[in-house]
């Protein structure tokens, strides 16, 4: 195989190995200490507290109208729409998983998967489908999301930035 193919093959094998090890973790704690459910609830609470509030699109459309003279307003609106979809999904699912842990709502397969991902510090699949591509673990992914949203919020608050964080865009091709 080509050297790059060898590297990719090795990376895939390691990922499968680590996913298997994580899947073998016990899901019930028998000793003292913090239970799995408490850990998941604390992680969900922390992430929910850090998750930015979605933007009000009417305010953005009013402040940054789509015009032929300034195509960057279109980019800003599209970025806000994409991030809003992710932020709404995150807030909803985190709230629901906390309710499910308390027995208020039924723990569906999706919420169980989310809980397992929170416990394993992995970005949940239901968020990945609405998010930008990233290979970061959940904690670093969350830090990155907060920085990306701060960049967009700064654009909204202070007008068009002097320099642009290209990799901070959800869809950088729209900017180019």
């Amino acid at each position: 195989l080509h050297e790059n193919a060898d590297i990719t093959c090795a990376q895939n094998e390691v990922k499968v190995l680590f996913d298997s090890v994580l899947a073998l973790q016990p899901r019930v704690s028998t000793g003292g200490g913090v239970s799995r459910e408490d850990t998941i609830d604390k992680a969900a609470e922390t992430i929910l507290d850090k998750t930015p509030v979605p933007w009000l699109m009417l305010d953005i459309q009013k402040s940054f109208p789509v015009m032929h003279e300034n195509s960057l307003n279109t980019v800003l609106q599209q970025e806000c729409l994409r991030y809003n979809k992710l932020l709404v999904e995150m807030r909803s699912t985190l709230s629901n998983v906390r309710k499910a842990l308390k027995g208020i709502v039924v723990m569906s397969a999706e919420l169980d998967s989310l809980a397992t991902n929170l416990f394993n510090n992995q970005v949940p699949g239901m968020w990945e489908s609405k998010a930008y591509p990233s290979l970061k673990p959940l904690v670093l992914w969350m830090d990155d999301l907060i920085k990306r949203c701060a960049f967009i919020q700064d654009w909204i608050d202070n007008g068009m930035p002097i320099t642009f964080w290209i990799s901070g865009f959800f869809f950088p091709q729209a900017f180019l």
Side-chain angles (χ1 to χ4, degrees):
L1 288 177
H2 187 271
E3 291 178 15
N4 289 342
D6 282 337
I7 292 170
T8 302
C9 184
Q11 287 175 331
N12 289 339
E13 287 176 356
V14 168
K15 182 176 178 357
V16 168
L17 174 68
F18 285 150
D19 287 345
S20 300
V21 169
L22 284 174
L24 293 174
Q25 286 188 103
R27 294 178 58 108
V28 178
S29 61
T30 55
V34 181
S35 70
R36 179 180 188 273
E37 287 75 19
D38 290 340
T39 303
I40 292 167
D41 187 53
K42 183 66 177 164
E45 179 184 25
T46 302
I47 292 171
L48 193 55
D49 290 342
K50 289 182 177 181
T51 303
V53 177
W55 292 283
L56 298 174
M57 288 307 298
L58 287 176
D59 294 342
I60 293 171
Q61 290 168 347
K62 205 180 291 182
S63 301
F64 299 92
V66 175
M67 300 181 310
H68 183 66
E69 297 82 31
N70 191 351
S71 61
L72 291 178
N73 288 354
T74 305
V75 173
L76 176 63
Q77 286 188 25
Q78 290 175 347
E79 289 295 308
C80 289
L81 282 171
R82 288 182 178 101
Y83 279 112
N84 274 357
K85 285 180 186 176
L86 173 62
L87 296 174
V88 166
E89 177 77 9
M90 289 176 65
R91 289 183 159 280
S92 170
T93 54
L94 287 169
S95 175
N96 285 339
V97 80
R98 293 192 74 208
K99 290 176 185 175
L101 290 170
K102 294 173 185 164
I104 298 171
V105 298
V106 175
M107 179 71 82
S108 65
E110 291 84 17
L111 291 179
D112 186 49
S113 174
L114 172 68
T116 300
N117 288 137
L118 291 175
F119 187 73
N120 293 336
N121 191 31
Q122 297 172 325
V123 179
M126 59 178 57
W127 297 354
E128 281 182 330
S129 66
K130 292 178 174 38
Y132 48 89
S134 178
L135 297 175
K136 295 181 180 183
L138 182 58
V139 173
L140 297 177
W141 183 86
M142 225 12 243
D143 291 342
D144 187 53
L145 175 64
I146 291 167
K147 290 176 187 171
R148 288 167 178 257
C149 289
F151 168 72
I152 298 294
Q153 187 62 52
D154 184 58
W155 188 348
I156 293 167
D157 294 341
N158 302 317
M160 189 182 315
I162 297 170
T163 58
F164 290 90
W165 180 24
I166 299 292
S167 61
F169 285 120
F170 205 105
F171 185 64
Q173 294 88 332
F175 178 78
L176 302 174

